[in-house]
Amino acid sequence: MAALCRGRPRWKRLNCLQVFTRNFSGKYDYDLVVIGGGSGGLACSKEAAQLGQKVAVLDYVEPSAKGTKWGLGGTCVNVGCIPKKLMHQAALLGTAVKDAKKYGWQMPETVHHDWATMAEAVQNHVRSLNWGHRVQLQDKKVKYLNLKGSLLDEHTVRGLSKAGKETILTAENIVIATGGRPKYPTQIPGAAEHGITSDDIFWLKKSPGKTLVVGASYVALECAGFFTGIGLDTTVMVRSIALRGFDQQMAGLVTDYMEAYGTRFVWRSVPKRVDKLSSGALQVTWSDTETGMEHRDTYNSVLWAVGRAPETKALGLDQLGVQLNKQTGKIVVGPDEATSVPHVYALGDISEGRPELTPTAIKAGKLLAHRLAGQSTALMNFDNVATTVFTPLEYGCVGLSEEEAERRHGKEGIEVFHAFYKPLEFTVAERDASQCYIKVICERGGDQKILGLHFTGPNAGEVIQGFSMGLQSAVGQTGTGDASCLQPSASTTISLWD
Ligand SMILES: Cc1cc2nc3c(=O)[nH]c(=O)nc-3n(C[C@H](O)[C@H](O)[C@H](O)COP(=O)(O)OP(=O)(O)OC[C@H]3O[C@@H](n4cnc5c(N)ncnc54)[C@H](O)[C@@H]3O)c2cc1C
């Protein structure tokens, strides 16, 4: 309250000031103000409102460097999971069409994919989700404000409209859920001028054509995978390794499959410059980090997938003393999502050390709402979160990579159970199943606690969800995930299914 009093005279001087009527119950306009209407922020605000809290959520989309904009719902709905998974599905259908002939379907020798049709359908679905979120907020009596939020103090948020109109809101608690945005390389001439990112790709009306994807994160490989699947000439440029942080044997299977599927990989190379030729084509010059040799090729599009940066700059966190991680720029939070400033919380991609995933942001947001409403003390459990990479051969995993398991338990302290397998649907279609694989990493001693489980193959997302549920409930019931249900223990790497 002291901070609130200190700030008041300054707010009176603000132009076009609109102060919301205070609720009758207390000192503030709202019980909760959430900045950011993405996966975490929407879940938190809706849950809090259902628990009887007076809630407002601010969401504001800064257009991408290329001018792409979208609606309410955040990254996942507009420029992440949803359009990505739908475009991945478009690519899988292309493979299914090829398989279909072997299964007796009569169709023309060549089939073509039309980007504009796919993009329009995907974008229409995303717009329906934007609308659905607005309706849900209204139904649940959450005040939605299309304003860019920043903090004036631990109980006060300033919202700025596109036209520059300011609105001040006060709240008992403030939640920051502003997510992140893709980065552009800063040292490469032409990179920002001629390139695009994942913030643009799903909203293109015309096909990106022959595309260079720079980076080897899951976003890079997923985009390259669906480009290849819908018939685009696609190259991935990798500086060092693919899928950093994931199990590297599995990453190798994913990229091997992609190479066999038609995606070109330029390994150990870094782009030097991007020039637009008079023909409109983009000429990319890169150098091979091993030989030092320079190479060139031309593309219709260059997609930078070189990481994401947290959206903290415009939030006024410095003045408030909210602690950030200096390396990542993310907000440091405790197990209860609390920041270093009382009454200010952060969740989702903006918070340090959390998985950058929608389901965890949603769950953490709901649990935070319960705690803030005094309904529960339950904390989010971020252990053993399953995740899937939607590459042409999907890869799902839960728990530790083999590298991380070795680091924590020593090479002798772990035991790996594994199997290559052939999905039945690959047989008639005569598809190569060389990269379809499962491995389970266990502690060698005791009751062989499962440390990590990795799977490549069709429907990996569904498969790994089932396994992770088993793993979690085994941990919950016995304090350990036990591999004995899969295969008796032995001293070396063991085949699970012969
Ligand atoms: C290409 C791609 C594919 C992905 N695929 C998956 C997947 O398959 N599965 C998965 O689980 N996750 C996936 N993710 C990650 C997922 O999208 C994020 O983890 C998730 O959206 C994070 O939610 P959030 O609430 O933290 O932030 P966001 O969803 O990013 O929402 C933040 C919102 O806050 C707004 N905002 C920012 N600053 C302000 C401000 N000052 N005032 C008001 N509003 C502001 C932003 O515009 C945005 O709307 C993917 C991401 C990308 C980029």
Side-chain angles (χ1 to χ4, degrees):
M1 190 60 199
L4 186 70
C5 296
R6 267 203 314 276
R8 273 255 166 240
R10 190 155 71 85
W11 308 333
K12 282 194 180 141
R13 290 199 301 274
L14 296 172
N15 290 336
C16 316
L17 185 68
Q18 179 191 348
V19 179
F20 273 65
T21 329
R22 290 176 165 240
N23 68 6
F24 57 87
S25 63
K27 303 180 277 191
Y28 306 109
D29 306 325
Y30 292 93
D31 296 310
L32 177 65
V33 168
V34 177
I35 308 177
S39 310
L42 287 176
C44 183
S45 54
K46 286 188 269 184
E47 195 75 2
Q50 278 192 314
L51 295 168
Q53 299 253 294
K54 189 175 178 198
V55 186
V57 60
L58 281 68
D59 190 62
Y60 187 88
V61 179
E62 205 65 72
S64 76
K66 291 279 159 264
T68 312
K69 316 182 262 216
W70 51 89
L72 179 63
T75 303
C76 180
V77 167
N78 295 283
V79 286
C81 340
I82 301 288
K84 176 277 299 285
K85 185 84 193 291
L86 291 173
M87 293 193 180
H88 170 64
Q89 175 63 14
L92 291 184
L93 286 171
T95 306
V97 165
K98 287 187 195 128
D99 289 357
K101 287 185 201 157
K102 296 259 172 43
Y103 280 95
W105 289 94
Q106 307 283 307
M107 53 182 75
E109 211 33 59
T110 52
V111 287
H112 294 289
H113 180 266
D114 179 49
W115 176 279
T117 307
M118 170 187 74
E120 194 188 350
V122 170
Q123 290 159 15
N124 284 342
H125 179 66
V126 170
R127 287 192 191 97
S128 77
L129 296 177
N130 298 148
W131 176 247
H133 280 304
R134 290 184 81 135
V135 171
Q136 278 185 21
L137 290 177
Q138 206 168 12
D139 286 352
K140 293 184 185 344
K141 308 214 172 353
V142 176
K143 179 82 181 166
Y144 161 58
L145 298 158
N146 183 205
L147 301 174
K148 184 167 184 164
S150 58
L151 282 86
L152 292 181
D153 65 38
E154 66 267 49
H155 292 293
T156 313
V157 169
R158 184 179 80 147
L160 201 61
S161 75
K162 196 176 162 197
K165 185 177 169 189
E166 281 169 320
T167 300
I168 301 296
L169 303 98
T170 61
E172 172 72 33
N173 292 302
I174 296 168
V175 170
I176 303 168
T178 47
R181 297 293 288 266
K183 289 195 275 198
Y184 274 97
T186 48
Q187 310 292 339
I188 301 172
E193 200 184 341
H194 305 307
I196 56 172
T197 69
S198 60
D199 273 0
D200 306 296
I201 195 71
F202 305 110
W203 293 91
L204 294 183
K205 296 213 175 336
K206 283 195 342 212
S207 168
K210 180 182 175 186
T211 303
L212 174 69
V213 178
V214 184
S217 61
Y218 83 87
V219 171
L221 297 190
E222 288 180 341
C223 290
F226 75 71
F227 292 158
T228 309
I230 60 171
L232 303 183
D233 183 335
T234 310
T235 302
V236 180
M237 188 168 292
V238 188
R239 187 183 51 188
S240 51
I241 58 167
L243 296 179
R244 187 179 299 284
F246 286 89
D247 186 288
Q248 284 302 295
Q249 182 194 6
M250 305 307 288
L253 294 173
V254 166
T255 51
D256 284 354
Y257 186 91
M258 284 180 74
E259 283 192 293
Y261 186 70
T263 313
R264 254 188 283 270
F265 280 81
V266 178
W267 294 100
R268 287 167 295 281
S269 294
V270 286
K272 289 286 177 202
R273 56 182 303 113
V274 182
D275 296 293
K276 192 163 193 164
L277 305 179
S278 54
S279 63
L282 301 177
Q283 180 180 269
V284 180
T285 308
W286 71 87
S287 91
D288 183 315
T289 57
E290 279 187 346
T291 63
M293 278 176 66
E294 281 209 345
H295 302 272
R296 274 198 194 101
D297 201 352
T298 53
Y299 303 89
N300 301 113
S301 302
V302 177
L303 178 84
W304 300 103
V306 292
R308 295 177 63 79
E311 276 284 280
T312 51
K313 278 187 218 87
L315 289 170
L317 302 179
D318 288 357
Q319 300 92 293
L320 209 61
V322 174
Q323 196 193 340
L324 303 181
N325 178 306
K326 285 201 177 67
Q327 257 119 50
T328 61
K330 292 190 175 191
I331 300 174
V332 176
V333 289
D336 59 350
E337 272 58 72
T339 69
S340 56
V341 172
H343 304 286
V344 179
Y345 298 81
L347 60 86
D349 285 10
I350 198 75
S351 45
E352 179 59 36
R354 304 297 196 229
E356 291 187 6
L357 294 170
T358 272
T360 47
I362 291 176
K363 187 73 182 167
K366 287 183 177 175
L367 289 172
L368 176 59
H370 279 259
R371 293 195 301 274
L372 293 179
Q375 303 280 324
S376 152
T377 53
L379 298 173
M380 175 71 184
N381 174 5
F382 290 100
D383 291 339
N384 288 329
V385 173
T387 188
T388 298
V389 181
F390 291 99
T391 33
L393 186 70
E394 296 175 5
Y395 163 38
C397 62
V398 55
L400 304 183
S401 64
E402 195 171 333
E403 292 83 2
E404 185 58 21
E406 270 185 26
R407 200 183 63 77
R408 292 193 197 178
H409 299 269
K411 212 172 172 55
E412 297 307 313
I414 63 167
E415 186 165 10
V416 180
F417 297 74
H418 75 155
F420 282 96
Y421 69 98
K422 187 160 197 162
L424 186 62
E425 61 267 42
F426 277 36
T427 53
V428 170
E430 294 171 31
R431 275 165 66 186
D432 181 10
S434 310
Q435 286 90 17
C436 293
Y437 182 70
I438 181 166
K439 74 172 170 182
V440 185
I441 303 153
C442 304
E443 269 180 13
R444 189 182 287 275
D447 52 7
Q448 296 224 290
K449 179 181 172 185
I450 298 177
L451 302 170
L453 198 147
H454 302 261
F455 173 89
T456 46
N459 308 305
E462 273 60 53
V463 171
I464 207 71
Q465 281 187 61
F467 274 124
S468 77
M469 205 163 69
L471 208 79
Q472 281 290 13
S473 49
V475 170
Q477 282 160 25
T478 65
T480 175
D482 189 348
S484 59
C485 57
L486 298 167
Q487 176 83 20
S489 69
S491 57
T492 53
T493 296
I494 289 165
S495 192
L496 273 181
W497 301 321
D498 288 322

